[in-house]
Amino acid sequence: MVVPGETGLLVDLELKPGTFDPADPAKFSRELAEGINRVALDPALREKFERNGRRRVEDHFSWTAIARRTLDLYNSLLV
């Protein structure tokens, strides 16, 4: 999961009601390309996202993190 500006960029996608189609395909395509180019052309930004993304995965989605949250849940049910 992306934390905007910390682990990546998000591109707003407004959908046509009741579909998965962009309401404005040209705008979405343009903004997606701008985001890709921004990250691809900025080594420092890319490294920041890589570093922060790795840390976020380890903190929230590693087996250690999952076990810790599971244990916390079990303990909360005992109290």
Side-chain angles (χ1 to χ4, degrees), residues 18-77:
T19 74
F20 293 105
D21 297 326
D24 185 344
K27 178 183 176 198
F28 175 69
S29 296
R30 182 178 60 255
E31 290 178 355
L32 179 60
E34 289 170 357
I36 291 169
N37 287 331
R38 180 176 168 203
V39 174
L41 298 173
D42 187 338
L45 182 63
R46 205 169 45 246
E47 290 172 10
K48 172 187 170 183
F49 289 165
E50 290 170 2
R51 184 178 55 254
N52 292 342
R54 174 68 185 226
R55 185 178 330 113
R56 181 166 169 74
V57 166
E58 291 171 352
D59 291 348
H60 296 277
F61 305 108
S62 69
W63 284 116
T64 301
I66 292 168
R68 185 175 48 248
R69 282 197 307 275
T70 302
L71 185 58
D72 289 346
L73 171 64
Y74 289 165
N75 285 330
S76 75
L77 296 174

